[in-house]
Amino acid sequence: MPYGGRHGGAALDRGTSTPRYPDTAIFGHFWLRWREMAGGLALELFSLSVRVLFGLFLEAVLVARRVAIQLFLSPVAAGYPSPAQDYTDGALDLNEHLVSNPAATFFVRASGESMRDAGIFDKDILVVDRSVSPRHGHVVVAVVDGEFTVKRYSSRNGTMQLLAANKAYPPISAADECLIWGVVTYSIHAQSLCHRQSP
Amino acid sequence: MIALVDCNNFYVSCERLFDPTLIGRPTVVLSNNDGCIVARSEEVKSLGIQMGKPVFQIQSELRKHKVAIRSSNYTLYADMSRRVMKTLGRFSPEVENYSIDEAFLNLDGISDLAEHCHRMREEVIRWTGIPVSVGIAPSKTLAKVANKHAKHTGDGVLSLADKGDQAKALRRTSIHDLWGVGRRYARMLMKNGFKHALDLREADDKWVLKRMTIVGLKMVHELRGIPCIELTLKPPPKKSLIKSCSFGRTLSALGDLEEAVSVYASGVAERLRQQDSLARTITVFLMTNRFQTEHPHYATSATMSFLSSTDDTSVFVQHGLVLLRQIFRRDQRYLKAGVILDAIESRGREQLGLFDPKHESSARLMQAMDGVNQQFGANTIRVGSCGDRQEWKMKRRLLSRRFTTRWDELLHVQT
């Protein structure tokens, strides 16, 4: 910003006798001599209009300078800039990590022990993505005889089975009325009970 | 080309997604206060049970057919609607959320429309669990017609891109079922010999203009396949907001009504702030039960204007209560109350008053209040006159949980 810089310097130079707007003085000097030679009413009028125009021009320059100064000074007034300001990131959001497709993702709460060996415990929150196609080995939320269940999906040798991850529970053969509701992509398990953990 | 995507029996479909025992079982969803039927499964439709029927009139029929009944869970439906609309956004850059369960899509420039729409339909069902039907046509009005017939095709998609198909579909569409034809116009058209939508398509422009105004003429042009009604991608802010609901029982105590009016005024003020507007006029109304016969039906209202527009809950509640006390009569038993805000202006364009006090602190208070209520549930912070018992609240005895919006109401699955 050239205006602000120059003007800022002049304003601070309080001790010197340099005129603040030297252009005005020089221009006025030449003008007076020329008028002595020519004279006449028409030129008098002409000079008036030129002066008005010049005044407006000067005003505009000054206004422009004033605005420029404000812009120049304000960041300094705000204090020393943080050295990190060009390197900031937003805080991490777990949604980005756990939910790749928000429109198709549902949270459900697991209860029971049949998936213990797959790392799913009672009261865990499961992230279920309905847009993922179930494949062999996926943990799925399924509907069997009108009831929700969580099991490992198995489709070996052309037969579909729902397997528990706990020896105490027998596999469910998919010949029964069975529907895959969604694929469990993550399970959220509380390690230490904290105050926000709801039942 | 325009597609209308409509969710099949939307409320019932939402309930079924989280309760599979309802699948295949006749199911209805009731209106606020568990009064009337507002959604029916296909099984219920084929039983001949009508939409809008008051439940008490068909109690025995519902029991006989073992119909499952649910209260309306609008929190759940709104979230499911959002998911459906978001999924649709993958298939068109321009989606108009026309209602909670319908959207218009601009499909210009898509080469294989039928294939595109089949894929869209399958993806919505798989991702959100909500079955939809798709009607494709050159205009919105025809897309509505196409959608209606799509429900009865096997695959849920019907294209009326072809003129011949349009005529065939319009011949099978009654005047009453046309989008934009209300009961009065339908009666007028029947009287003048129009029976099917096809008859109206062939009507004389001048006659239509005279009898049904420019709006009707636009509709007729749309039936001819000339698009006249554009997609509304960003809904304009509402010019008037209303919050009104029947009580769980009739009320005659002023205290109960004060609570209700406070709650409704707070609710409508929050909606006003959501659309970033200010209001200058408030109306409070009361009515008694229209269906009871012992006393004459009594409805009353009062309105007042402020010097300058505002969005401050406490101002609306305070003046709402003043109006309520003006119109309240001790000898009546009220069933319904409501608060209406009018003279709504966008913030920043409002008419300023000469003696307006500055409202900056109230704006920040409202912002904080809305923030807390959004995070911790509606009415967590409220004006004191809303009360804490709210015994007059509407009945929702058969309400399902808010599975998708509350941590403490998640779906439980047995592992």
Side-chain angles (χ1 to χ4, degrees):
Chain A
M1 32 192 86
Y3 281 131
R6 251 190 19 221
H7 188 90
L12 290 172
D13 241 346
R14 244 175 247 146
T16 64
S17 61
T18 322
R20 275 183 82 164
Y21 308 109
D23 316 324
T24 331
I26 294 164
F27 191 83
H29 179 68
F30 281 112
W31 178 240
L32 277 170
R33 279 178 58 183
W34 191 63
R35 208 177 60 162
E36 270 169 24
M37 290 190 294
L41 186 66
L43 273 172
E44 190 76 31
L45 278 173
F46 176 63
S47 83
L48 188 71
S49 57
V50 167
R51 264 188 280 175
V52 168
L53 280 174
F54 184 70
L56 284 174
F57 167 69
L58 202 64
E59 186 77 15
V61 168
L62 286 177
V63 166
R65 287 183 175 196
R66 253 203 311 274
V67 173
I69 292 162
Q70 281 177 354
L71 282 171
F72 182 72
L73 287 177
S74 59
V76 180
Y80 189 71
S82 161
Q85 73 180 2
D86 291 337
Y87 301 92
T88 49
D89 267 338
L92 290 179
D93 180 357
L94 262 181
N95 279 309
E96 284 172 29
H97 184 69
L98 299 178
V99 180
S100 59
N101 187 348
T105 300
F106 295 84
F107 300 132
V108 304
R109 198 176 286 281
S111 60
E113 299 293 331
S114 81
M115 292 302 285
R116 213 178 46 201
D117 298 344
I120 295 174
F121 301 90
D122 198 42
K123 293 184 179 131
D124 282 0
I125 290 175
L126 308 181
V127 181
V128 184
D129 190 340
R130 287 181 56 98
S131 67
V132 176
S133 313
R135 285 210 308 269
H136 178 78
H138 278 166
V139 173
V140 297
V141 171
V143 178
V144 180
D145 297 327
E147 295 280 336
F148 281 110
T149 184
V150 181
K151 291 287 178 291
R152 197 180 287 286
Y153 179 79
S154 161
S155 59
R156 277 283 145 86
N157 311 323
T159 51
M160 200 187 103
Q161 276 192 313
L162 295 175
L163 307 175
N166 183 335
K167 290 210 173 64
Y169 293 79
I172 302 167
S173 96
D176 303 330
E177 189 87 346
C178 167
L179 182 146
I180 304 298
W181 197 86
V183 172
V184 178
T185 48
Y186 290 93
S187 62
I188 303 171
H189 178 72
Q191 293 297 345
S192 318
L193 272 186
C194 57
H195 62 287
R196 284 199 55 168
Q197 184 68 25
S198 42
Chain B
M1 279 290 160
I2 288 172
L4 175 67
V5 181
D6 184 82
C7 302
N8 302 346
N9 314 326
F10 180 56
Y11 299 168
V12 172
S13 299
C14 291
E15 297 289 344
R16 281 180 169 171
L17 180 63
F18 296 96
D19 183 357
T21 61
L22 298 178
I23 296 172
R25 187 175 162 201
T27 306
V28 293
V29 174
L30 306 183
S31 61
N32 278 336
N33 255 320
D34 295 347
C36 309
I37 291 173
V38 291
R40 304 166 295 164
S41 68
E42 290 304 325
E43 298 82 2
V44 173
K45 286 179 188 171
S46 57
L47 284 173
I49 294 173
Q50 291 301 309
M51 194 78 156
K53 269 270 178 213
V55 174
F56 70 90
Q57 287 180 8
I58 47 167
Q59 203 64 265
S60 61
E61 205 177 342
L62 293 176
R63 211 168 299 141
K64 194 174 92 192
H65 296 290
K66 295 201 172 68
V67 176
I69 306 172
R70 292 285 178 273
S71 302
S72 40
N73 184 346
Y74 286 111
T75 317
L76 177 66
Y77 308 154
D79 183 66
M80 292 309 299
S81 170
R82 187 184 57 79
R83 289 165 183 267
V84 170
M85 299 299 172
K86 201 164 175 184
T87 311
L88 293 178
R90 286 164 43 85
F91 291 88
S92 165
E94 293 188 341
V95 179
E96 174 187 344
N97 300 3
Y98 178 64
S99 71
I100 193 167
D101 59 351
E102 289 170 287
F104 285 106
L105 273 63
N106 181 355
L107 296 182
D108 285 342
I110 285 159
S111 49
D112 193 347
L113 277 175
E115 215 268 328
H116 188 78
C117 289
H118 276 116
R119 236 171 354 107
M120 170 167 75
R121 184 173 169 272
E122 272 151 32
E123 192 158 306
V124 172
I125 294 174
R126 198 154 59 86
W127 285 24
T128 67
I130 303 297
V132 296
S133 311
V134 187
I136 311 163
S139 69
K140 273 179 151 184
T141 310
L142 280 176
K144 270 271 193 186
V145 172
N147 186 283
K148 208 168 167 49
H149 293 299
K151 293 240 184 320
H152 308 295
T153 63
D155 54 6
V157 178
L158 180 70
S159 170
L160 293 184
D162 177 73
K163 278 265 180 223
D165 291 342
Q166 289 169 18
K168 230 182 282 169
L170 290 178
R171 198 169 296 127
R172 288 189 293 135
T173 307
S174 140
I175 284 284
H176 298 269
D177 294 334
L178 269 182
W179 189 48
V181 174
R183 211 176 295 167
R184 262 182 47 224
Y185 275 144
R187 211 177 310 138
M188 186 276 287
L189 288 167
M190 293 292 273
K191 218 183 276 172
N192 284 281
F194 296 90
K195 266 173 75 185
H196 301 295
L198 190 66
D199 305 335
L200 189 58
R201 190 183 83 168
E202 310 305 337
D204 176 50
D205 276 9
K206 276 198 200 114
W207 186 86
V208 173
L209 186 64
K210 209 176 88 193
R211 303 299 294 266
M212 301 175 72
T213 74
I214 186 71
V215 181
L217 186 62
K218 273 188 182 175
M219 188 197 66
V220 171
H221 280 214
E222 285 237 316
L223 287 179
R224 293 173 191 158
I226 307 160
C228 300
I229 308 170
E230 287 187 10
L231 295 194
T232 317
L233 298 178
K234 199 172 169 230
K238 292 225 166 63
K239 293 281 175 219
S240 166
L241 289 172
I242 177 167
K243 168 94 186 174
S244 154
C245 192
S246 304
F247 310 127
R249 57 181 165 86
T250 54
L251 301 178
S252 49
L254 182 60
D256 285 333
L257 289 168
E258 282 178 340
E259 282 188 7
V261 166
S262 302
V263 169
Y264 295 167
S266 308
V268 78
E270 191 174 337
R271 286 221 305 269
L272 182 73
R273 291 193 292 274
Q274 273 168 14
Q275 68 167 40
D276 207 20
S277 302
L278 304 164
R280 204 134 58 110
T281 303
I282 181 170
T283 302
V284 172
F285 65 86
L286 288 175
M287 46 178 94
T288 59
N289 190 349
R290 206 178 315 174
F291 298 108
Q292 53 100 26
T293 44
E294 304 153 45
H295 306 283
H297 175 54
Y298 175 67
T300 175
S301 74
T303 301
M304 73 181 292
S305 292
F306 309 120
L307 275 176
S308 59
S309 33
T310 178
D311 64 355
D312 189 328
T313 294
S314 59
V315 174
F316 293 130
V317 170
Q318 191 186 344
H319 292 88
L321 292 179
V322 170
L323 293 174
L324 169 69
R325 285 175 205 130
Q326 276 176 20
I327 57 176
F328 173 75
R329 272 173 44 183
R330 202 160 290 282
D331 54 347
Q332 295 291 345
R333 302 174 67 80
Y334 299 100
L335 184 67
K336 188 174 187 174
V339 175
I340 307 170
L341 299 183
D342 273 310
I344 290 178
E345 304 160 304
S346 302
R347 178 191 296 285
R349 288 203 210 147
E350 73 271 20
Q351 180 78 51
L352 297 173
L354 186 56
F355 304 109
D356 285 354
K358 277 264 176 224
H359 285 310
E360 275 177 22
S361 61
S362 103
R364 284 173 57 201
L365 177 65
M366 291 302 116
Q367 220 177 348
M369 196 166 98
D370 291 345
V372 169
N373 287 342
Q374 236 159 51
Q375 194 173 345
F376 298 98
N379 295 321
T380 305
I381 293 189
R382 56 181 184 269
V383 177
S385 55
C386 293
D388 49 7
R389 287 170 305 150
Q390 301 183 353
E391 284 168 359
W392 44 270
K393 271 220 155 156
M394 64 177 173
K395 287 176 284 195
R396 287 197 291 182
R397 293 211 184 91
L398 306 158
L399 189 61
S400 51
R401 283 181 291 167
R402 292 168 291 182
F403 298 105
T404 57
T405 51
R406 309 290 298 190
W407 286 114
D408 51 356
E409 298 185 25
L410 291 182
L411 176 71
H412 282 253
V413 291
Q414 188 71 38
T415 64

